[in-house]
Amino acid sequence: MTIAIMQPYFLPYIGYMQLMSAVDTFILYDDVSFINRGWINRNRLLINGQEYLFTVPLRDASQNKRINEVHLADDPKWRSKLLKTIEQGYRKAPYYGTVMPLTEKIVNFTTDSIAELVHFSLVELNTFLEIPTRLVASSSVYQNTNLKAQDRILDICRQEKATRYINPIGGTDLYDKPSFATAGIDLAFIQAKRVEYAQFNRPEFVPWLSIIDILMFNDVPATRAMLTEFDLL
């Protein structure tokens, strides 16, 4: 049993999707502090040939709240505005016809919770890409918010009977490998490789954009191949 634990990210970049596809169970860490100006409600697209940062507007978002306590803004127009932006940027992309309905389904999902919106979006992306990974919201199962940092991660691993825990390479200094070994858990780190593909006729590739950018320019088999482009350390 291999697991990973990450905060919920909306329409994430390829590295997030690689981590999710590399494990049996992916825990959405939604009962930890919200991160302002992070990737929970933001990501990047290619609009008019340039990198464009979009944001899902939130209501009273604060690092004093847990992610699953943060609500979407009352503005009913943000969904149509975001979809219009994506339409304008990608309507001439080769896979727009199949990817835009998926994008509309995700963006128009009825909820006022950013955690629920992200959870739904990842389920839909996994279905589209035929990724069998089980998704679990940490707030719904583990009842261990009294624990912090590595201790909580280890407790979730124990509850899931995990034999391997994979973390993004940026967290190398956060975890103590001997502590995981003592618990019978192999600790590994994933490092995404840069994958490139044609983005219209743009001469210079813009990397690490939202998975939506990849799907607009690549079919499912090509995207699934990209999900394996990483090193496990």
mmCIF file of all heavy atoms in Angstrom, residues 3-9 16 20 25-32 66-69 113-120 122-123 133-145 152 156 159-160:
data_model
loop_
_atom_site.group_PDB
_atom_site.id
_atom_site.type_symbol
_atom_site.label_atom_id
_atom_site.label_comp_id
_atom_site.label_asym_id
_atom_site.label_seq_id
_atom_site.Cartn_x
_atom_site.Cartn_y
_atom_site.Cartn_z
ATOM 1 N N ILE A 3 0.937 5.421 -0.281
ATOM 2 C CA ILE A 3 0.069 6.590 -0.146
ATOM 3 C C ILE A 3 0.874 7.878 -0.306
ATOM 4 O O ILE A 3 2.102 7.892 -0.198
ATOM 5 C CB ILE A 3 -0.684 6.609 1.203
ATOM 6 C CG1 ILE A 3 0.256 6.951 2.364
ATOM 7 C CG2 ILE A 3 -1.412 5.300 1.459
ATOM 8 C CD1 ILE A 3 -0.494 7.245 3.662
ATOM 9 N N ALA A 4 0.145 8.948 -0.580
ATOM 10 C CA ALA A 4 0.698 10.302 -0.577
ATOM 11 C C ALA A 4 -0.325 11.203 0.092
ATOM 12 O O ALA A 4 -1.525 10.896 0.109
ATOM 13 C CB ALA A 4 0.994 10.784 -1.986
ATOM 14 N N ILE A 5 0.146 12.294 0.640
ATOM 15 C CA ILE A 5 -0.723 13.245 1.342
ATOM 16 C C ILE A 5 -0.367 14.652 0.862
ATOM 17 O O ILE A 5 0.786 15.067 0.959
ATOM 18 C CB ILE A 5 -0.540 13.146 2.871
ATOM 19 C CG1 ILE A 5 -0.813 11.718 3.363
ATOM 20 C CG2 ILE A 5 -1.441 14.147 3.586
ATOM 21 C CD1 ILE A 5 -0.456 11.480 4.817
ATOM 22 N N MET A 6 -1.346 15.352 0.335
ATOM 23 C CA MET A 6 -1.107 16.709 -0.175
ATOM 24 C C MET A 6 -2.333 17.589 0.077
ATOM 25 O O MET A 6 -3.467 17.100 0.083
ATOM 26 C CB MET A 6 -0.844 16.681 -1.678
ATOM 27 C CG MET A 6 0.575 16.292 -2.062
ATOM 28 S SD MET A 6 1.787 17.584 -1.670
ATOM 29 C CE MET A 6 1.288 18.877 -2.816
ATOM 30 N N GLN A 7 -2.100 18.880 0.253
ATOM 31 C CA GLN A 7 -3.210 19.819 0.287
ATOM 32 C C GLN A 7 -3.941 19.757 -1.055
ATOM 33 O O GLN A 7 -3.331 19.478 -2.087
ATOM 34 C CB GLN A 7 -2.717 21.252 0.522
ATOM 35 C CG GLN A 7 -2.118 21.480 1.881
ATOM 36 C CD GLN A 7 -0.605 21.334 1.854
ATOM 37 O OE1 GLN A 7 -0.040 20.715 0.948
ATOM 38 N NE2 GLN A 7 0.065 21.891 2.838
ATOM 39 N N PRO A 8 -5.241 20.001 -1.069
ATOM 40 C CA PRO A 8 -5.987 19.992 -2.337
ATOM 41 C C PRO A 8 -5.611 21.181 -3.217
ATOM 42 O O PRO A 8 -5.680 22.329 -2.771
ATOM 43 C CB PRO A 8 -7.451 20.066 -1.881
ATOM 44 C CG PRO A 8 -7.411 20.644 -0.505
ATOM 45 C CD PRO A 8 -6.114 20.237 0.098
ATOM 46 N N TYR A 9 -5.196 20.902 -4.445
ATOM 47 C CA TYR A 9 -4.825 21.939 -5.417
ATOM 48 C C TYR A 9 -5.810 21.887 -6.584
ATOM 49 O O TYR A 9 -6.095 20.813 -7.099
ATOM 50 C CB TYR A 9 -3.416 21.722 -5.949
ATOM 51 C CG TYR A 9 -2.284 22.040 -4.991
ATOM 52 C CD1 TYR A 9 -2.526 22.469 -3.681
ATOM 53 C CD2 TYR A 9 -0.959 21.909 -5.400
ATOM 54 C CE1 TYR A 9 -1.479 22.749 -2.821
ATOM 55 C CE2 TYR A 9 0.088 22.188 -4.541
ATOM 56 C CZ TYR A 9 -0.170 22.610 -3.259
ATOM 57 O OH TYR A 9 0.862 22.887 -2.409
ATOM 58 N N TYR A 16 1.862 17.233 -9.562
ATOM 59 C CA TYR A 16 0.812 16.831 -8.618
ATOM 60 C C TYR A 16 0.084 15.604 -9.151
ATOM 61 O O TYR A 16 -0.175 14.640 -8.419
ATOM 62 C CB TYR A 16 -0.146 18.001 -8.444
ATOM 63 C CG TYR A 16 -1.154 17.884 -7.315
ATOM 64 C CD1 TYR A 16 -0.947 18.540 -6.108
ATOM 65 C CD2 TYR A 16 -2.334 17.162 -7.466
ATOM 66 C CE1 TYR A 16 -1.891 18.483 -5.079
ATOM 67 C CE2 TYR A 16 -3.278 17.094 -6.453
ATOM 68 C CZ TYR A 16 -3.050 17.757 -5.261
ATOM 69 O OH TYR A 16 -3.989 17.691 -4.254
ATOM 70 N N MET A 20 -0.166 11.723 -7.629
ATOM 71 C CA MET A 20 -1.443 11.065 -7.401
ATOM 72 C C MET A 20 -1.518 9.732 -8.148
ATOM 73 O O MET A 20 -2.038 8.744 -7.616
ATOM 74 C CB MET A 20 -2.585 11.986 -7.833
ATOM 75 C CG MET A 20 -3.963 11.472 -7.485
ATOM 76 S SD MET A 20 -5.213 12.783 -7.506
ATOM 77 C CE MET A 20 -4.956 13.460 -9.133
ATOM 78 N N THR A 25 -3.458 5.193 -2.674
ATOM 79 C CA THR A 25 -4.401 6.093 -2.000
ATOM 80 C C THR A 25 -3.770 7.476 -1.879
ATOM 81 O O THR A 25 -2.619 7.604 -1.442
ATOM 82 C CB THR A 25 -4.773 5.571 -0.601
ATOM 83 O OG1 THR A 25 -5.450 4.314 -0.731
ATOM 84 C CG2 THR A 25 -5.668 6.539 0.132
ATOM 85 N N PHE A 26 -4.521 8.486 -2.277
ATOM 86 C CA PHE A 26 -4.059 9.875 -2.230
ATOM 87 C C PHE A 26 -4.948 10.620 -1.252
ATOM 88 O O PHE A 26 -6.161 10.709 -1.444
ATOM 89 C CB PHE A 26 -4.144 10.496 -3.617
ATOM 90 C CG PHE A 26 -3.508 11.850 -3.753
ATOM 91 C CD1 PHE A 26 -2.152 11.971 -4.006
ATOM 92 C CD2 PHE A 26 -4.267 13.006 -3.643
ATOM 93 C CE1 PHE A 26 -1.561 13.220 -4.153
ATOM 94 C CE2 PHE A 26 -3.698 14.252 -3.780
ATOM 95 C CZ PHE A 26 -2.333 14.365 -4.040
ATOM 96 N N ILE A 27 -4.333 11.121 -0.164
ATOM 97 C CA ILE A 27 -5.109 11.809 0.870
ATOM 98 C C ILE A 27 -5.060 13.307 0.627
ATOM 99 O O ILE A 27 -3.980 13.900 0.551
ATOM 100 C CB ILE A 27 -4.584 11.478 2.287
ATOM 101 C CG1 ILE A 27 -4.930 10.024 2.653
ATOM 102 C CG2 ILE A 27 -5.198 12.392 3.328
ATOM 103 C CD1 ILE A 27 -3.811 9.068 2.523
ATOM 104 N N LEU A 28 -6.243 13.898 0.492
ATOM 105 C CA LEU A 28 -6.351 15.346 0.359
ATOM 106 C C LEU A 28 -6.338 15.937 1.763
ATOM 107 O O LEU A 28 -7.288 15.784 2.525
ATOM 108 C CB LEU A 28 -7.639 15.713 -0.376
ATOM 109 C CG LEU A 28 -7.676 15.275 -1.847
ATOM 110 C CD1 LEU A 28 -9.073 15.458 -2.417
ATOM 111 C CD2 LEU A 28 -6.661 16.057 -2.660
ATOM 112 N N TYR A 29 -5.258 16.618 2.078
ATOM 113 C CA TYR A 29 -5.004 17.146 3.421
ATOM 114 C C TYR A 29 -5.805 18.433 3.590
ATOM 115 O O TYR A 29 -5.271 19.537 3.519
ATOM 116 C CB TYR A 29 -3.508 17.405 3.534
ATOM 117 C CG TYR A 29 -2.880 17.129 4.877
ATOM 118 C CD1 TYR A 29 -3.481 16.324 5.830
ATOM 119 C CD2 TYR A 29 -1.630 17.684 5.170
ATOM 120 C CE1 TYR A 29 -2.862 16.077 7.034
ATOM 121 C CE2 TYR A 29 -1.007 17.427 6.371
ATOM 122 C CZ TYR A 29 -1.628 16.629 7.300
ATOM 123 O OH TYR A 29 -1.003 16.375 8.507
ATOM 124 N N ASP A 30 -7.106 18.281 3.845
ATOM 125 C CA ASP A 30 -7.993 19.437 3.816
ATOM 126 C C ASP A 30 -8.321 20.009 5.183
ATOM 127 O O ASP A 30 -9.043 21.001 5.277
ATOM 128 C CB ASP A 30 -9.289 19.094 3.076
ATOM 129 C CG ASP A 30 -10.151 18.077 3.819
ATOM 130 O OD1 ASP A 30 -9.634 17.403 4.733
ATOM 131 O OD2 ASP A 30 -11.346 17.961 3.474
ATOM 132 N N ASP A 31 -7.799 19.391 6.259
ATOM 133 C CA ASP A 31 -8.052 19.935 7.595
ATOM 134 C C ASP A 31 -6.772 20.471 8.231
ATOM 135 O O ASP A 31 -6.528 20.321 9.426
ATOM 136 C CB ASP A 31 -8.743 18.916 8.501
ATOM 137 C CG ASP A 31 -8.034 17.568 8.536
ATOM 138 O OD1 ASP A 31 -7.010 17.411 7.828
ATOM 139 O OD2 ASP A 31 -8.482 16.674 9.266
ATOM 140 N N VAL A 32 -5.959 21.104 7.381
ATOM 141 C CA VAL A 32 -4.783 21.849 7.834
ATOM 142 C C VAL A 32 -4.977 23.307 7.422
ATOM 143 O O VAL A 32 -5.913 23.636 6.685
ATOM 144 C CB VAL A 32 -3.482 21.284 7.231
ATOM 145 C CG1 VAL A 32 -3.213 19.888 7.765
ATOM 146 C CG2 VAL A 32 -3.528 21.278 5.704
ATOM 147 N N ARG A 66 -8.943 26.247 8.547
ATOM 148 C CA ARG A 66 -8.563 25.043 7.830
ATOM 149 C C ARG A 66 -9.115 25.133 6.409
ATOM 150 O O ARG A 66 -10.100 25.826 6.152
ATOM 151 C CB ARG A 66 -9.106 23.806 8.547
ATOM 152 C CG ARG A 66 -8.476 23.589 9.915
ATOM 153 C CD ARG A 66 -9.121 22.422 10.645
ATOM 154 N NE ARG A 66 -8.512 22.225 11.963
ATOM 155 C CZ ARG A 66 -8.930 21.362 12.863
ATOM 156 N NH1 ARG A 66 -9.988 20.601 12.598
ATOM 157 N NH2 ARG A 66 -8.312 21.240 14.030
ATOM 158 N N ILE A 67 -8.478 24.395 5.504
ATOM 159 C CA ILE A 67 -8.880 24.456 4.098
ATOM 160 C C ILE A 67 -10.352 24.101 3.929
ATOM 161 O O ILE A 67 -11.081 24.759 3.178
ATOM 162 C CB ILE A 67 -7.993 23.521 3.257
ATOM 163 C CG1 ILE A 67 -6.527 23.996 3.284
ATOM 164 C CG2 ILE A 67 -8.487 23.455 1.809
ATOM 165 C CD1 ILE A 67 -5.532 22.995 2.722
ATOM 166 N N ASN A 68 -10.820 23.088 4.650
ATOM 167 C CA ASN A 68 -12.210 22.662 4.493
ATOM 168 C C ASN A 68 -13.205 23.615 5.162
ATOM 169 O O ASN A 68 -14.415 23.386 5.091
ATOM 170 C CB ASN A 68 -12.412 21.233 5.014
ATOM 171 C CG ASN A 68 -12.187 21.111 6.506
ATOM 172 O OD1 ASN A 68 -11.444 21.887 7.111
ATOM 173 N ND2 ASN A 68 -12.814 20.123 7.118
ATOM 174 N N GLU A 69 -12.714 24.686 5.781
ATOM 175 C CA GLU A 69 -13.579 25.715 6.364
ATOM 176 C C GLU A 69 -13.678 26.948 5.470
ATOM 177 O O GLU A 69 -14.404 27.892 5.784
ATOM 178 C CB GLU A 69 -13.047 26.137 7.737
ATOM 179 C CG GLU A 69 -13.041 25.012 8.769
ATOM 180 C CD GLU A 69 -12.315 25.386 10.058
ATOM 181 O OE1 GLU A 69 -11.448 26.292 10.025
ATOM 182 O OE2 GLU A 69 -12.620 24.755 11.087
ATOM 183 N N SER A 113 -17.642 25.203 -1.190
ATOM 184 C CA SER A 113 -16.433 24.804 -0.482
ATOM 185 C C SER A 113 -15.289 24.597 -1.462
ATOM 186 O O SER A 113 -15.410 23.820 -2.415
ATOM 187 C CB SER A 113 -16.689 23.506 0.292
ATOM 188 O OG SER A 113 -15.474 22.881 0.665
ATOM 189 N N ILE A 114 -14.152 25.258 -1.236
ATOM 190 C CA ILE A 114 -12.997 25.057 -2.113
ATOM 191 C C ILE A 114 -12.480 23.632 -1.987
ATOM 192 O O ILE A 114 -12.050 23.026 -2.973
ATOM 193 C CB ILE A 114 -11.877 26.097 -1.834
ATOM 194 C CG1 ILE A 114 -10.732 25.951 -2.861
ATOM 195 C CG2 ILE A 114 -11.364 26.001 -0.417
ATOM 196 C CD1 ILE A 114 -11.132 26.163 -4.302
ATOM 197 N N ALA A 115 -12.530 23.044 -0.801
ATOM 198 C CA ALA A 115 -12.059 21.674 -0.614
ATOM 199 C C ALA A 115 -12.922 20.694 -1.409
ATOM 200 O O ALA A 115 -12.403 19.773 -2.062
ATOM 201 C CB ALA A 115 -12.065 21.297 0.867
ATOM 202 N N GLU A 116 -14.232 20.892 -1.378
ATOM 203 C CA GLU A 116 -15.131 20.012 -2.127
ATOM 204 C C GLU A 116 -14.956 20.196 -3.630
ATOM 205 O O GLU A 116 -15.013 19.222 -4.394
ATOM 206 C CB GLU A 116 -16.582 20.281 -1.726
ATOM 207 C CG GLU A 116 -16.929 19.805 -0.320
ATOM 208 C CD GLU A 116 -18.383 20.078 0.034
ATOM 209 O OE1 GLU A 116 -19.121 20.618 -0.831
ATOM 210 O OE2 GLU A 116 -18.773 19.768 1.169
ATOM 211 N N LEU A 117 -14.759 21.425 -4.070
ATOM 212 C CA LEU A 117 -14.548 21.688 -5.495
ATOM 213 C C LEU A 117 -13.289 20.980 -5.988
ATOM 214 O O LEU A 117 -13.304 20.335 -7.040
ATOM 215 C CB LEU A 117 -14.439 23.192 -5.752
ATOM 216 C CG LEU A 117 -14.131 23.600 -7.202
ATOM 217 C CD1 LEU A 117 -15.246 23.145 -8.144
ATOM 218 C CD2 LEU A 117 -13.905 25.101 -7.305
ATOM 219 N N VAL A 118 -12.211 21.085 -5.221
ATOM 220 C CA VAL A 118 -10.966 20.431 -5.632
ATOM 221 C C VAL A 118 -11.121 18.914 -5.614
ATOM 222 O O VAL A 118 -10.674 18.222 -6.538
ATOM 223 C CB VAL A 118 -9.790 20.872 -4.742
ATOM 224 C CG1 VAL A 118 -8.530 20.085 -5.096
ATOM 225 C CG2 VAL A 118 -9.531 22.365 -4.904
ATOM 226 N N HIS A 119 -11.751 18.385 -4.570
ATOM 227 C CA HIS A 119 -11.953 16.940 -4.488
ATOM 228 C C HIS A 119 -12.714 16.445 -5.724
ATOM 229 O O HIS A 119 -12.301 15.471 -6.377
ATOM 230 C CB HIS A 119 -12.717 16.600 -3.217
ATOM 231 C CG HIS A 119 -12.675 15.142 -2.854
ATOM 232 N ND1 HIS A 119 -12.860 14.687 -1.577
ATOM 233 C CD2 HIS A 119 -12.483 14.031 -3.604
ATOM 234 C CE1 HIS A 119 -12.764 13.365 -1.553
ATOM 235 N NE2 HIS A 119 -12.547 12.945 -2.782
ATOM 236 N N PHE A 120 -13.805 17.119 -6.052
ATOM 237 C CA PHE A 120 -14.584 16.743 -7.225
ATOM 238 C C PHE A 120 -13.743 16.826 -8.493
ATOM 239 O O PHE A 120 -13.791 15.931 -9.349
ATOM 240 C CB PHE A 120 -15.812 17.648 -7.344
ATOM 241 C CG PHE A 120 -16.636 17.394 -8.574
ATOM 242 C CD1 PHE A 120 -17.538 16.339 -8.615
ATOM 243 C CD2 PHE A 120 -16.511 18.201 -9.694
ATOM 244 C CE1 PHE A 120 -18.295 16.091 -9.757
ATOM 245 C CE2 PHE A 120 -17.266 17.965 -10.834
ATOM 246 C CZ PHE A 120 -18.162 16.903 -10.865
ATOM 247 N N LEU A 122 -10.534 16.526 -8.936
ATOM 248 C CA LEU A 122 -9.533 15.466 -9.035
ATOM 249 C C LEU A 122 -10.177 14.118 -9.349
ATOM 250 O O LEU A 122 -9.601 13.310 -10.088
ATOM 251 C CB LEU A 122 -8.720 15.403 -7.746
ATOM 252 C CG LEU A 122 -7.860 16.639 -7.457
ATOM 253 C CD1 LEU A 122 -7.172 16.512 -6.108
ATOM 254 C CD2 LEU A 122 -6.820 16.869 -8.561
ATOM 255 N N VAL A 123 -11.348 13.867 -8.803
ATOM 256 C CA VAL A 123 -12.078 12.640 -9.164
ATOM 257 C C VAL A 123 -12.373 12.631 -10.664
ATOM 258 O O VAL A 123 -12.173 11.615 -11.356
ATOM 259 C CB VAL A 123 -13.379 12.521 -8.353
ATOM 260 C CG1 VAL A 123 -14.266 11.406 -8.920
ATOM 261 C CG2 VAL A 123 -13.078 12.253 -6.892
ATOM 262 N N THR A 133 -6.391 5.606 -8.693
ATOM 263 C CA THR A 133 -6.059 5.985 -7.323
ATOM 264 C C THR A 133 -7.304 6.348 -6.506
ATOM 265 O O THR A 133 -8.176 7.085 -6.969
ATOM 266 C CB THR A 133 -5.089 7.176 -7.325
ATOM 267 O OG1 THR A 133 -3.909 6.817 -8.055
ATOM 268 C CG2 THR A 133 -4.703 7.590 -5.923
ATOM 269 N N ARG A 134 -7.359 5.846 -5.289
ATOM 270 C CA ARG A 134 -8.437 6.183 -4.344
ATOM 271 C C ARG A 134 -8.143 7.538 -3.718
ATOM 272 O O ARG A 134 -7.031 7.798 -3.255
ATOM 273 C CB ARG A 134 -8.500 5.085 -3.284
ATOM 274 C CG ARG A 134 -9.325 5.380 -2.048
ATOM 275 C CD ARG A 134 -9.306 4.164 -1.118
ATOM 276 N NE ARG A 134 -9.802 4.455 0.211
ATOM 277 C CZ ARG A 134 -9.047 4.489 1.308
ATOM 278 N NH1 ARG A 134 -7.740 4.253 1.231
ATOM 279 N NH2 ARG A 134 -9.584 4.751 2.478
ATOM 280 N N LEU A 135 -9.154 8.394 -3.676
ATOM 281 C CA LEU A 135 -9.014 9.728 -3.085
ATOM 282 C C LEU A 135 -9.772 9.791 -1.765
ATOM 283 O O LEU A 135 -10.930 9.373 -1.690
ATOM 284 C CB LEU A 135 -9.553 10.800 -4.028
ATOM 285 C CG LEU A 135 -8.816 11.002 -5.354
ATOM 286 C CD1 LEU A 135 -9.502 12.077 -6.170
ATOM 287 C CD2 LEU A 135 -7.364 11.369 -5.118
ATOM 288 N N VAL A 136 -9.109 10.334 -0.737
ATOM 289 C CA VAL A 136 -9.714 10.424 0.589
ATOM 290 C C VAL A 136 -9.446 11.817 1.162
ATOM 291 O O VAL A 136 -8.303 12.294 1.126
ATOM 292 C CB VAL A 136 -9.125 9.372 1.549
ATOM 293 C CG1 VAL A 136 -9.757 9.495 2.930
ATOM 294 C CG2 VAL A 136 -9.316 7.962 1.004
ATOM 295 N N ALA A 137 -10.472 12.463 1.681
ATOM 296 C CA ALA A 137 -10.281 13.734 2.389
ATOM 297 C C ALA A 137 -9.874 13.438 3.826
ATOM 298 O O ALA A 137 -10.547 12.669 4.524
ATOM 299 C CB ALA A 137 -11.569 14.550 2.367
ATOM 300 N N SER A 138 -8.784 14.016 4.277
ATOM 301 C CA SER A 138 -8.285 13.720 5.627
ATOM 302 C C SER A 138 -9.314 14.075 6.698
ATOM 303 O O SER A 138 -9.393 13.414 7.735
ATOM 304 C CB SER A 138 -6.969 14.456 5.891
ATOM 305 O OG SER A 138 -7.133 15.863 5.766
ATOM 306 N N SER A 139 -10.127 15.097 6.454
ATOM 307 C CA SER A 139 -11.119 15.513 7.450
ATOM 308 C C SER A 139 -12.211 14.478 7.654
ATOM 309 O O SER A 139 -12.916 14.507 8.665
ATOM 310 C CB SER A 139 -11.758 16.837 7.022
ATOM 311 O OG SER A 139 -12.415 16.687 5.769
ATOM 312 N N SER A 140 -12.364 13.547 6.714
ATOM 313 C CA SER A 140 -13.474 12.603 6.772
ATOM 314 C C SER A 140 -13.134 11.299 7.471
ATOM 315 O O SER A 140 -14.034 10.492 7.729
ATOM 316 C CB SER A 140 -13.957 12.289 5.348
ATOM 317 O OG SER A 140 -12.976 11.549 4.635
ATOM 318 N N VAL A 141 -11.854 11.074 7.810
ATOM 319 C CA VAL A 141 -11.471 9.735 8.256
ATOM 320 C C VAL A 141 -10.660 9.692 9.541
ATOM 321 O O VAL A 141 -11.025 9.004 10.497
ATOM 322 C CB VAL A 141 -10.672 9.005 7.146
ATOM 323 C CG1 VAL A 141 -10.244 7.617 7.607
ATOM 324 C CG2 VAL A 141 -11.494 8.902 5.875
ATOM 325 N N TYR A 142 -9.561 10.408 9.628
ATOM 326 C CA TYR A 142 -8.474 10.013 10.526
ATOM 327 C C TYR A 142 -8.578 10.509 11.960
ATOM 328 O O TYR A 142 -7.990 9.931 12.866
ATOM 329 C CB TYR A 142 -7.123 10.425 9.905
ATOM 330 C CG TYR A 142 -6.986 9.855 8.521
ATOM 331 C CD1 TYR A 142 -7.090 10.685 7.401
ATOM 332 C CD2 TYR A 142 -6.806 8.491 8.322
ATOM 333 C CE1 TYR A 142 -6.994 10.153 6.118
ATOM 334 C CE2 TYR A 142 -6.712 7.953 7.053
ATOM 335 C CZ TYR A 142 -6.809 8.793 5.953
ATOM 336 O OH TYR A 142 -6.735 8.267 4.702
ATOM 337 N N GLN A 143 -9.301 11.588 12.207
ATOM 338 C CA GLN A 143 -9.548 12.074 13.570
ATOM 339 C C GLN A 143 -8.252 12.244 14.371
ATOM 340 O O GLN A 143 -8.138 11.802 15.516
ATOM 341 C CB GLN A 143 -10.478 11.101 14.312
ATOM 342 C CG GLN A 143 -11.801 10.837 13.604
ATOM 343 C CD GLN A 143 -12.636 12.102 13.414
ATOM 344 O OE1 GLN A 143 -12.806 12.877 14.350
ATOM 345 N NE2 GLN A 143 -13.135 12.306 12.208
ATOM 346 N N ASN A 144 -7.260 12.879 13.775
ATOM 347 C CA ASN A 144 -5.966 13.022 14.460
ATOM 348 C C ASN A 144 -5.381 14.425 14.322
ATOM 349 O O ASN A 144 -4.160 14.594 14.261
ATOM 350 C CB ASN A 144 -4.964 11.984 13.942
ATOM 351 C CG ASN A 144 -4.708 12.115 12.439
ATOM 352 O OD1 ASN A 144 -5.246 13.010 11.769
ATOM 353 N ND2 ASN A 144 -3.882 11.238 11.906
ATOM 354 N N THR A 145 -6.240 15.438 14.294
ATOM 355 C CA THR A 145 -5.750 16.804 14.156
ATOM 356 C C THR A 145 -4.985 17.271 15.389
ATOM 357 O O THR A 145 -4.379 18.339 15.371
ATOM 358 C CB THR A 145 -6.910 17.778 13.870
ATOM 359 O OG1 THR A 145 -7.922 17.621 14.878
ATOM 360 C CG2 THR A 145 -7.512 17.507 12.505
ATOM 361 N N ARG A 152 1.671 13.266 12.556
ATOM 362 C CA ARG A 152 0.349 13.061 11.964
ATOM 363 C C ARG A 152 0.456 12.259 10.668
ATOM 364 O O ARG A 152 -0.380 11.392 10.398
ATOM 365 C CB ARG A 152 -0.336 14.408 11.713
ATOM 366 C CG ARG A 152 -1.783 14.208 11.307
ATOM 367 C CD ARG A 152 -2.560 15.495 11.192
ATOM 368 N NE ARG A 152 -3.938 15.166 10.863
ATOM 369 C CZ ARG A 152 -4.757 15.986 10.237
ATOM 370 N NH1 ARG A 152 -4.357 17.206 9.893
ATOM 371 N NH2 ARG A 152 -5.985 15.618 9.958
ATOM 372 N N ILE A 156 -1.416 8.667 9.925
ATOM 373 C CA ILE A 156 -2.250 8.369 8.759
ATOM 374 C C ILE A 156 -1.712 7.148 8.026
ATOM 375 O O ILE A 156 -2.481 6.270 7.607
ATOM 376 C CB ILE A 156 -2.326 9.592 7.823
ATOM 377 C CG1 ILE A 156 -3.098 10.737 8.495
ATOM 378 C CG2 ILE A 156 -2.988 9.212 6.499
ATOM 379 C CD1 ILE A 156 -3.095 12.032 7.716
ATOM 380 N N GLN A 159 -2.809 4.135 9.964
ATOM 381 C CA GLN A 159 -4.236 3.857 9.800
ATOM 382 C C GLN A 159 -4.545 3.259 8.424
ATOM 383 O O GLN A 159 -5.448 2.435 8.284
ATOM 384 C CB GLN A 159 -5.054 5.139 10.004
ATOM 385 C CG GLN A 159 -5.067 5.637 11.452
ATOM 386 C CD GLN A 159 -6.098 6.730 11.661
ATOM 387 O OE1 GLN A 159 -7.256 6.584 11.274
ATOM 388 N NE2 GLN A 159 -5.688 7.827 12.293
ATOM 389 N N GLU A 160 -3.790 3.678 7.421
ATOM 390 C CA GLU A 160 -3.992 3.151 6.071
ATOM 391 C C GLU A 160 -3.215 1.854 5.831
ATOM 392 O O GLU A 160 -3.296 1.282 4.744
ATOM 393 C CB GLU A 160 -3.569 4.195 5.031
ATOM 394 C CG GLU A 160 -4.514 5.363 4.898
ATOM 395 C CD GLU A 160 -5.823 4.979 4.224
ATOM 396 O OE1 GLU A 160 -5.891 3.899 3.591
ATOM 397 O OE2 GLU A 160 -6.784 5.760 4.330
#
